[in-house]
Amino acid sequence: NITKQELVNRISQTHKIRAQTTKVVVQAFLDEIINELAKGNRLEFREFGVFETRTREAREAQNPKTLEKVHVPAKRSVKFKMGRMMKQKLNPPE
């Protein structure tokens, strides 16, 4: 696993930028992604991938222990689809 701080340190060392500046930029980028998804917008980063929201309908579920019916409200989630460059990095041709 890699943390946000480790990512910030790598970027700041690689590009010779102060870590504090890098941290502010990375956090601002992440905040903008969250804000746009909250508005229902689709985010497309060429070669990297696409983020979009999906809505799951409300449904009735069952508690496996008590077998009691439980109402599960509708909710939104984020779907990510890999772009071409990421697919190539994760699944290189043999």
Side-chain angles (χ1 to χ4, degrees), residues 56-88:
R56 288 188 65 175
E57 299 296 323
R59 62 189 173 92
E60 291 296 320
Q62 190 173 22
N63 181 328
K65 283 188 178 180
T66 64
L67 302 179
E68 177 184 345
K69 296 282 184 188
V70 179
H71 175 72
V72 179
K75 66 179 179 179
R76 290 171 57 195
S77 62
V78 175
K79 178 182 183 259
F80 177 75
K81 182 179 177 186
M82 287 190 291
R84 186 173 55 98
M85 188 169 70
M86 186 179 295
K87 281 182 188 175
Q88 290 173 348

Side-chain angles (χ1 to χ4, degrees), residues 9-83:
N9 290 340
R10 280 189 200 174
I11 293 169
S12 64
Q13 289 171 359
T14 302
H15 297 285
K16 306 210 181 340
I17 303 169
R18 287 184 49 228
Q20 185 59 33
T21 304
T22 305
K23 183 177 181 179
V24 169
V25 171
V26 168
Q27 188 59 54
F29 179 73
L30 296 173
D31 290 343
E32 286 302 315
I33 289 173
I34 293 168
N35 290 338
E36 290 302 316
L37 290 170
K39 293 177 191 173
N41 293 332
R42 180 176 188 264
L43 292 161
E44 183 175 333
F45 299 102
R46 297 268 180 220
E47 307 293 323
F48 180 76
V50 177
F51 292 93
E52 58 189 346
T53 58
R54 293 280 168 100
T55 303
R56 288 188 65 175
E57 299 296 323
R59 62 189 173 92
E60 291 296 320
Q62 190 173 22
N63 181 328
K65 283 188 178 180
T66 64
L67 302 179
E68 177 184 345
K69 296 282 184 188
V70 179
H71 175 72
V72 179
K75 66 179 179 179
R76 290 171 57 195
S77 62
V78 175
K79 178 182 183 259
F80 177 75
K81 182 179 177 186
M82 287 190 291

